[in-house]
């Protein structure tokens, strides 16, 4: 399977709490829900098409908890049957079992376990949100594709998908689209670690 990371970002790179004010208030974050005003029918179509490529879902503990609480109750949502039915994997050193079945808890050495999952037959193993998990798997060179939906807003605080000091990554753009609601949607494929040259004084 290909490992695909799907993230909502602001213009200043924030990925924390896009969906609601109380989605993720860790580290004193108070500006959640910044992505919602830009949702539109076209983006819903894209999200549905992406989910249709998934054969399994992978989450960090916090995102898993939110999704496991909400999606089983969203029976009228057009994507609920797919979300609830797909195999789910959660990276956590605290959970011993999941409540949103079918769920498998990945214990220690998550990158090694994810590498094993990637060797299984199938289409996409998708990460929805779960920025810290995505960062660790980017650093391990395990991510094949990035799908980024960038909202035209500067949040000004919050956890970023690409923090200072992160591991450099080379990406190849393969698709992009602007939705009527103003979202800039970009798809990138992993292109290896970049080589940074040095520039002389006359450059």
């Amino acid at each position: 399977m290909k490992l695909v990371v799907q993230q909502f970002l602001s213009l200043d790179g924030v990925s924390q709490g896009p969906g609601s004010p109380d989605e993720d208030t860790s580290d004193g974050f108070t500006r959640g829900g910044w992505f919602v005003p830009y949702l539109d029918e076209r983006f819903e179509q894209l999200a549905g098409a992406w989910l249709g490529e998934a054969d399994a879902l992978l989450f960090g503990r916090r995102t898993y908890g939110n999704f496991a609480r909400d999606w089983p109750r969203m029976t009228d949502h057009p994507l609920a049957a797919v979300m609830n039915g797909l195999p789910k994997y959660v990276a956590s050193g605290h959970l011993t079992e999941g409540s949103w079945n079918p769920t498998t808890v990945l214990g220690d050495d998550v990158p090694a376990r994810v590498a094993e999952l990637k060797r299984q037959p199938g289409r996409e193993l998708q990460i929805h949100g779960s920025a810290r998990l995505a960062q660790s798997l980017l650093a391990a060179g395990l991510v094949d594709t990035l799908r980024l939906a960038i909202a035209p807003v500067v949040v000004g605080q919050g956890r970023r998908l690409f923090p200072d000091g992160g591991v450099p990554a080379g990406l190849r753009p393969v698709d992009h689209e602007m939705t009527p609601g103003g979202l800039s949607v970009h798809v990138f494929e992993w292109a290896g670690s970049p080589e940074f040259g040095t520039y002389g004084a006359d450059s």
Side-chain angles (χ1 to χ4, degrees):
M1 287 189 287
K2 290 173 55 177
L3 181 59
V4 179
V5 170
Q6 299 183 176
Q7 289 281 332
F8 301 159
L9 300 181
S10 68
L11 284 178
D12 52 341
V14 173
S15 60
Q16 185 172 0
S20 67
D22 59 352
E23 179 182 356
D24 181 357
T25 59
S26 60
D27 302 319
F29 184 64
T30 61
R31 300 177 183 176
W34 47 267
F35 190 81
V36 175
Y38 307 99
L39 290 174
D40 58 23
E41 182 178 355
R42 175 53 186 159
F43 184 73
E44 294 287 346
Q45 292 172 349
L46 286 171
W50 294 344
L51 188 60
E53 296 296 318
D55 281 331
L57 304 174
L58 174 62
F59 300 98
R61 179 181 59 84
R62 183 187 301 276
T63 303
Y64 176 83
N66 290 339
F67 278 43
R69 177 195 64 210
D70 296 336
W71 276 103
R73 299 183 296 188
M74 298 168 59
T75 54
D76 58 341
H77 194 286
L79 302 182
V82 180
M83 290 291 293
N84 291 322
L86 281 170
K88 289 164 275 286
Y89 298 90
V90 55
S92 174
H94 302 285
L95 292 177
T96 56
E97 62 182 10
S99 59
W100 186 24
N101 292 318
T103 291
T104 300
V105 178
L106 305 180
D108 296 333
D109 201 356
V110 169
R113 294 293 306 278
V114 172
E116 291 176 6
L117 290 173
K118 289 186 60 177
R119 288 192 287 269
Q120 294 183 10
R123 297 171 300 167
E124 294 184 359
L125 172 63
Q126 293 183 359
I127 298 178
H128 292 235
S130 306
R132 288 192 179 99
L133 174 62
Q135 289 167 358
S136 68
L137 297 178
L138 277 166
L142 291 171
V143 174
D144 297 295
T145 302
L146 273 172
R147 294 184 181 128
L148 306 179
I150 303 171
V153 60
V154 175
V155 178
Q157 68 166 184
R159 190 167 53 253
R160 292 182 292 153
L161 177 61
F162 304 111
D164 291 342
V167 174
L171 303 170
R172 181 171 63 88
V174 294
D175 197 10
H176 70 277
E177 180 176 336
M178 182 73 74
T179 71
L183 294 174
S184 182
V185 180
H186 299 264
V187 181
F188 300 93
E189 290 183 350
W190 176 259
S193 298
E195 295 184 4
F196 298 102
T198 58
Y199 294 86
D202 295 331
S203 296

